[in-house]
């Protein structure tokens, strides 16, 4: 019945990664801001004594970048296991600066052998329609954008790549096992970061819904019209013309997932999160699968609550409950990462 539903959604077929990414950036998120010409890092080491019972160090890092000749910086935190080398690590694009945080059980991640680096999206550019703020102000000194200029999601995804720049300089972190993740609007951001930056080994979207992991065509939750009505700064201006006309999009969101191929992607939904529309997220994961050597391996039915489908390079899980980034979601993500890394 999933396959029949996919046929009814009448999706544009997948294309090459170059064509898909070009279209998504031009018509939905905007072009990515340029990589910095230059970065140095201010690092405050061990900012909390005996962090995680002494099993981790917490550092505060500020990359000082030069982008298009102008200075820009934002802070992030890095919680890294004290013992051992070459840890797999998460880059968590978060709503707050806290580490740990209600969306990030740092100690449990550390105890499982993962490091977790995290920044607050507002520190890259605030979540409002002020395009003179933060990175936006550097790109658009008069605050005005047009056409395919980046929206805020593209800027936040750019921030994840800057955290990764630093991570790749650290011997405690394994450059081959970087995972980018986020929840809701930041799940959309994590998928974009994973699509554009091939240094990420795994991407995880938690409850990202409309303009993230969920198909626009045939959605039962938030529509393109809803999202560009309430949250237009997240996107480029070219996207606005598709409000109420999702069937005219030259892409659908399975393209965003497919752009990661062959690197693994996990999509997480929550059973009571109708606005993000779990079935449209599972269908997008399924439709993206053709881009991977092995896509989403699943029976021809909606996932059951509590199920983790992790046999392919596209994974899907459905948690019980509401819109939230919970410990259960992190556990499923760790299980998926271990399976894909062969740990
Ligand atoms: C919702 C929005 C979603 C989602 C979420 C969030 O209200 O409609 O697209 O991104 O907010 O980020 O919290």
């Amino acid at each position: 019945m999933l396959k029949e539903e996919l046929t009814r959604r009448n999706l544009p077929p997948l294309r090459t990664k170059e064509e898909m990414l070009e279209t998504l950036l031009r018509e939905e998120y905007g072009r990515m801001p340029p990589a910095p010409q230059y970065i140095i890092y201010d690092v405050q080491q061990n900012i909390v004594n005996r962090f995680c019972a002494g099993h981790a160090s917490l550092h505060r890092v500020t990359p000082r970048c030069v982008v298009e000749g102008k200075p820009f910086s934002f802070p992030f935190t890095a919680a890294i296991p004290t013992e051992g080398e070459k840890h797999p690590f998460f880059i968590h694009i978060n709503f707050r600066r806290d580490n740990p945080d209600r969306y990030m059980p740092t100690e449990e991640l550390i105890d499982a052998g993962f490091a977790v680096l995290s920044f607050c999206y507002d520190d890259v550019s605030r979540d409002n329609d002020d395009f003179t703020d933060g990175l936006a102000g550097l790109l658009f000194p008069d605050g005005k954008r047009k056409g395919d200029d980046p929206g805020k999601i593209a800027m936040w995804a750019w921030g994840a790549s800057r955290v990764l720049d630093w991570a790749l300089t650290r011997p405690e972190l394994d450059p081959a096992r970087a995972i980018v993740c986020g929840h809701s609007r930041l799940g959309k951001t994590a998928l974009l970061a994973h699509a554009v930056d091939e240094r990420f080994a795994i991407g995880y979207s938690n409850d990202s819904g409309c303009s993230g992991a969920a198909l626009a065509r045939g959605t039962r939750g938030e529509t393109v019209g809803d999202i560009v009505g309430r949250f237009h700064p997240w996107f480029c201006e070219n996207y606005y013309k598709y409000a109420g006309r999702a069937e005219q999009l030259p892409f659908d969101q399975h393209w965003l997932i497919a752009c990661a191929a062959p690197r693994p992607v996990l999509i997480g939904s929550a059973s009571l999160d109708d606005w993000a529309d779990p079935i449209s997220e599972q269908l997008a994961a399924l439709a993206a699968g053709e881009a991977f050597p092995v896509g989403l391996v699943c029976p021809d039915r909606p996932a059951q609550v509590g199920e983790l489908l992790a046999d392919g390079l596209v994974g899907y899980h459905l948690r019980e409950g509401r819109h939230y980034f919970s410990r259960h979601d992190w556990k499923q993500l760790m299980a998926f990462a271990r399976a894909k890394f062969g740990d």
Side-chain angles (χ1 to χ4, degrees), residues 3-313:
K3 291 199 183 110
E4 279 171 24
E5 175 72 23
L6 257 190
T7 311
R8 276 197 295 276
R9 299 278 179 123
N10 197 20
L11 301 180
L14 299 178
R15 305 242 182 88
T16 64
K17 174 173 176 176
E18 289 66 32
E19 289 172 282
M20 293 191 291
L21 200 51
E22 156 66 26
T23 308
L24 289 163
L25 296 181
R26 190 187 63 237
E27 299 295 319
E28 185 171 17
Y29 304 106
R31 309 277 170 200
M32 294 301 292
Q37 294 145 304
Y38 180 75
I39 317 186
I40 51 169
Y41 303 98
D42 283 352
V43 185
Q44 284 174 269
Q45 310 256 18
N46 295 312
I47 58 175
V48 176
N49 258 345
R50 301 188 286 270
F51 189 60
C52 296
H55 297 305
S57 305
L58 185 66
H59 310 305
R60 185 179 295 122
V61 185
T62 307
R64 300 198 182 280
C65 309
V66 175
V67 183
E68 296 196 327
K70 294 175 231 164
F72 176 71
S73 60
F74 67 101
F76 65 87
T77 54
I80 302 180
T82 326
E83 303 287 311
E85 285 211 326
K86 302 270 173 251
H87 296 281
F89 60 99
F90 299 103
I91 292 183
H92 178 206
I93 311 163
N94 200 4
F95 291 87
R96 292 162 294 275
R97 287 183 178 175
D98 307 343
N99 187 349
D101 172 68
R102 65 176 177 274
Y103 281 173
M104 183 168 57
T106 301
E107 190 166 357
E108 293 185 49
L109 307 179
I110 292 289
D111 287 348
F114 291 85
V116 58
L117 288 60
S118 181
F119 68 98
C120 173
Y121 74 142
D122 270 334
D123 286 334
V124 175
S125 184
R126 277 207 306 280
D127 188 358
N128 58 27
D129 59 8
D130 177 3
F131 276 83
T132 63
D133 180 72
L135 181 65
L138 186 150
L139 301 172
F140 311 110
D142 61 359
K144 296 203 178 69
R145 300 182 298 154
K146 52 185 173 351
D148 62 358
D149 285 335
K152 299 270 170 137
I153 287 177
M155 294 183 204
W156 304 327
W158 179 95
S161 289
R162 305 294 70 85
V163 177
L164 182 58
D165 292 337
W166 179 79
L168 298 182
T169 69
R170 302 295 299 200
E172 314 95 300
L173 303 175
D174 184 350
R177 291 187 291 168
I179 303 158
V180 61
C181 60
H183 167 67
S184 204
R185 70 200 70 178
L186 303 178
K188 310 181 211 293
T189 307
L191 286 178
L192 181 63
H194 190 41
V196 298
D197 192 335
E198 296 192 353
R199 300 173 301 170
F200 288 114
I202 293 180
Y204 176 59
S205 140
N206 192 69
D207 305 352
S208 64
C210 179
S211 312
L215 295 175
R217 284 172 178 76
T219 182
R220 292 162 209 169
E222 185 175 25
T223 64
V224 175
D226 293 323
I227 206 165
V228 302
R230 285 179 66 200
F231 300 116
H232 56 90
W234 296 352
F235 305 98
C236 72
E237 296 190 347
N238 285 344
Y239 196 41
Y240 305 166
K241 63 178 177 281
Y242 299 107
R245 300 163 69 214
E247 67 295 337
Q248 291 180 25
L249 287 164
F251 57 88
D252 210 312
Q253 292 305 122
H254 61 314
W255 282 25
L256 181 62
I257 300 170
C259 282
R263 295 163 300 137
V265 188
L266 178 65
I267 306 300
S269 309
S271 62
L272 300 175
D273 192 2
D274 297 336
W275 192 238
D277 197 12
I279 192 65
S280 290
E281 297 196 312
Q282 189 180 348
L283 286 169
L286 187 62
E290 276 175 37
F292 296 78
V294 184
L296 180 68
V297 179
C298 72
D300 192 22
R301 57 157 174 77
Q304 288 164 359
V305 176
E307 199 167 23
L308 169 65
L309 302 164
D311 288 343
L313 294 167

